[in-house]
Amino acid sequence: MITLASDFGTPYPAAMKGVLLGRTDARLVDVGHDFPRQDVRATAFWLREVLPYFPAATHLVVVDPGVGTDRAALVVEAGGHAFVAPDNGVVIPTVRELAGDEFAVYEVEYEGTASNTFHGRDVFAPAAADVHDAPAVTAVDRVAPADEYVDLSFPDPEVGEGTATGEVLVVDGFGNVVTNVPGEFLDGLDRARVDGEVAPVGRSYAAVDPGGRVVTVGSHGNVELAVNRGRGDGAFGLGVGDAVRVERA
Amino acid sequence: MITLASDFGTPYPAAMKGVLLGRTDARLVDVGHDFPRQDVRATAFWLREVLPYFPAATHLVVVDPGVGTDRAALVVEAGGHAFVAPDNGVVIPTVRELAGDEFAVYEVEYEGTASNTFHGRDVFAPAAADVHDAPAVTAVDRVAPADEYVDLSFPDPEVGEGTATGEVLVVDGFGNVVTNVPGEFLDGLDRARVDGEVAPVGRSYAAVDPGGRVVTVGSHGNVELAVNRGRGDGAFGLGVGDAVRVERA
Amino acid sequence: MITLASDFGTPYPAAMKGVLLGRTDARLVDVGHDFPRQDVRATAFWLREVLPYFPAATHLVVVDPGVGTDRAALVVEAGGHAFVAPDNGVVIPTVRELAGDEFAVYEVEYEGTASNTFHGRDVFAPAAADVHDAPAVTAVDRVAPADEYVDLSFPDPEVGEGTATGEVLVVDGFGNVVTNVPGEFLDGLDRARVDGEVAPVGRSYAAVDPGGRVVTVGSHGNVELAVNRGRGDGAFGLGVGDAVRVERA
């Protein structure tokens, strides 16, 4: 099984599918092709939320603002999965989620074999097909252990007795504001103060009336700021990277 | 075969796919993940337009504004198909289209096994995989006949000799305005009066010049208000839920 | 293998998938369903960029502003592939890319068998399933050699010693402006004059600082006007169909 994730929209992912299907009989599964454009950090967050639910698979991930530079093309083995992606950290949080520090990083040599603007088609898709079909990553031509790789991690919040100070990691398509504050901070609370304003704490969006603000714990386990059937980003006035202070109230 | 329909966009559907593929070898088919956000009624309409064209399948449908409340999780058997969805009526029009009143409704017990915000991944996907692979719905753990379910139907129009009064059910992505007035009302007409203004009746959008308004019969069999290569919602000044009066002219 | 391409968004492609899966066991592959709405020319360009990367397949293509008129439904055989599409030229550039002038065009008879507004479901999907499963196109009921078909080609640029005058063929979702000027025109250049203003020539978007304009060669081999991590259409003030003059500088 090969999964595909990119920020390509329509139609570039189809060229990757064509290349894959020309080289392998693997089942293809779209993870999504509308990841935030050229946003490595947000994509890294979302991939960590979804890829660990897959059985062992080869994951082709192409969010690649550095295409055409000398950034490396990587294969990462972790927990029975293989990730084929540019060396910009986009798969690292998923890798650590699956396997902690127990992973192996390989580099795909591609000098002179590819266009300068579409490595998804010319470098990553062929590598993903070959990795999928090979008995081991090291059996694939042009692949060798990497000396180094670009790491990526999300900032840790400061969690005190009554106050947690964190930041907005991403805003999802519904407008839900995902922070890095751990959900446990809300344990036993009926309401919380967010950047000074009190809002109810609820087990779900529907814990408040439609249009009402709610502080909840998302499926990712972090504190999430939402509006029932509305958008939390507007209501809380928060966007990606903004600092956020949550207090017991 | 398991089909997937949701309002999740990117990337949440991938978590459902991962869970499904971890439990079953079934073929997965995306129906679409851009159904109108949290809009049960519009999704119910569109599903009735597309799902009946499938051969017997398990249909996983997650448009779920009530997630985290005590709304039930259902399995509905109808006409050889199985539907796994929240108990909000979203699959009922499709079920009736396929099987009239000949359907069976089951409830999936999930208390305490799921996150509060992502039942698509934690409740519905596992149930869909199990229903697909089981010899019968009743053979699946945690599934039992339901005592009741939320019904959903679309309003009937008032159709008289020369006038039909109905309402706008949905507006599609092209801006075509879909009413609940049956297409037969236009039989033999060359033009019709819509909310007082005359417009030509055509067999297709292209029956009028580009930019021109046309009253036609959509693929769903209802009267549709459109603009050839343009948007009918703007030209007719109509949106979802608006009353609409069509007269012979 | 049957690929699907359309401008239908959600949910109409699912009706085509249902019809296909009711008639054939073929693998289905989404090329994309967000091609520019009713834009035959742009879709023709993008299909030529992606479909040639597929192994031999049946390609179902439905961008069909003429639905409901008497435009023909075609099957085109070229280079081992079969294309099932409306007779508006949308697949012709791909066909010529694959097979030059060595292709065969057939017509699908559908009079009286279809709705007037959704031939993707009622005409093209059944034909694609039948073509896929048949030993030869001519073995399919209702299919016969066509006398004529609608051609489609892209304008040729005027390329002189120091100046190339062309036009904008399409703008992709990233805002990259794709011209019809061949990439070779930039050979050996460090910068070029675009409509009178000098911009650097780079091997990739990342050849310039973020936010900077760059003249590059896209994966399609044509001159492309871009902004690193930004939008080229805004920066260069160019849209589809605009004339563009590129000079050595």
Side-chain angles (χ1 to χ4, degrees), chain A residues 93-108:
Chain A
T94 304
V95 162
R96 291 196 193 280
E97 175 80 14
L98 282 167
D101 288 332
E102 300 293 315
F103 58 90
V105 183
Y106 304 87
E107 192 166 336
V108 183

Side-chain angles (χ1 to χ4, degrees), chain A residues 8-12, chain B residues 173-174 229, chain C residues 5-9 31-48 50 61-65 88 90 154 169-174 240:
Chain A
F8 289 151
T10 292
Y12 294 124
Chain B
F174 292 86
R229 309 198 187 190
Chain C
S6 78
D7 61 351
F8 288 151
V31 168
H33 297 287
D34 295 309
F35 283 91
R37 283 269 156 97
Q38 311 215 350
D39 187 337
V40 170
R41 195 157 165 277
T43 304
F45 177 84
W46 292 122
L47 291 179
R48 189 183 60 177
V50 299
V61 175
V62 191
V63 174
D64 191 17
N88 58 21
V90 70
F154 298 107
L169 296 181
V170 292
V171 174
D172 74 14
F174 292 86
V240 174

Side-chain angles (χ1 to χ4, degrees), chain C residues 17-108:
Chain C
K17 293 181 187 179
V19 169
L20 288 167
L21 293 167
R23 295 172 87 107
T24 177
D25 290 324
R27 184 205 284 249
L28 304 188
V29 182
D30 283 314
V31 168
H33 297 287
D34 295 309
F35 283 91
R37 283 269 156 97
Q38 311 215 350
D39 187 337
V40 170
R41 195 157 165 277
T43 304
F45 177 84
W46 292 122
L47 291 179
R48 189 183 60 177
E49 292 304 308
V50 299
L51 294 186
Y53 290 95
F54 279 84
T58 299
H59 303 286
L60 169 59
V61 175
V62 191
V63 174
D64 191 17
V67 64
T69 66
D70 59 0
R71 68 95 188 83
L74 298 185
V75 181
V76 184
E77 276 192 312
H81 297 253
F83 299 84
V84 181
D87 181 22
N88 58 21
V90 70
V91 300
I92 300 300
T94 304
V95 162
R96 291 196 194 280
E97 175 80 14
L98 282 167
D101 288 332
E102 299 293 314
F103 58 90
V105 183
Y106 304 87
E107 192 167 336
V108 183

Side-chain angles (χ1 to χ4, degrees), chain C residues 166-169 237-244:
Chain C
E167 99 174 41
V168 176
L169 296 181
L238 287 168
V240 174
D242 287 351
V244 60

Side-chain angles (χ1 to χ4, degrees), chain B residues 45-67:
Chain B
F45 177 84
W46 292 123
L47 291 178
R48 189 183 60 177
E49 292 305 309
V50 300
L51 294 186
Y53 290 95
F54 278 84
T58 299
H59 303 286
L60 169 58
V61 175
V62 191
V63 174
D64 191 17
V67 64

Side-chain angles (χ1 to χ4, degrees), chain A residues 12 17-18 37 116-117 121, chain C residues 30 53 172-174 203 206 219:
Chain A
Y12 294 124
K17 293 181 187 179
R37 283 269 156 97
N116 293 315
T117 54
R121 179 192 69 198
Chain C
D30 283 314
Y53 290 95
D172 74 14
F174 292 86
R203 290 179 61 250
S219 54

Side-chain angles (χ1 to χ4, degrees), chain B residues 1 27 29-35 46 49-50 53-55 172-174 203-206 216-220 228-229, chain C residues 7-8 10-12 14-15 17-19 21-22 25-28 30 37-38 65-69 115-118 121:
Chain B
M1 182 188 320
R27 185 205 284 248
V29 182
D30 283 314
V31 168
H33 297 287
D34 295 309
F35 283 91
W46 292 123
E49 292 305 309
V50 300
Y53 290 95
F54 278 84
D172 74 14
F174 292 86
R203 289 179 63 248
S204 67
Y205 309 134
T216 188
V217 180
S219 54
H220 32 73
N228 185 19
R229 309 198 187 190
Chain C
D7 61 351
F8 288 151
T10 293
Y12 294 123
K17 293 181 187 179
V19 169
L21 293 167
D25 290 324
R27 184 205 284 249
L28 304 188
D30 283 314
R37 283 269 156 97
Q38 311 215 350
V67 64
T69 66
S115 77
N116 293 315
T117 53
F118 195 3
R121 179 192 69 198

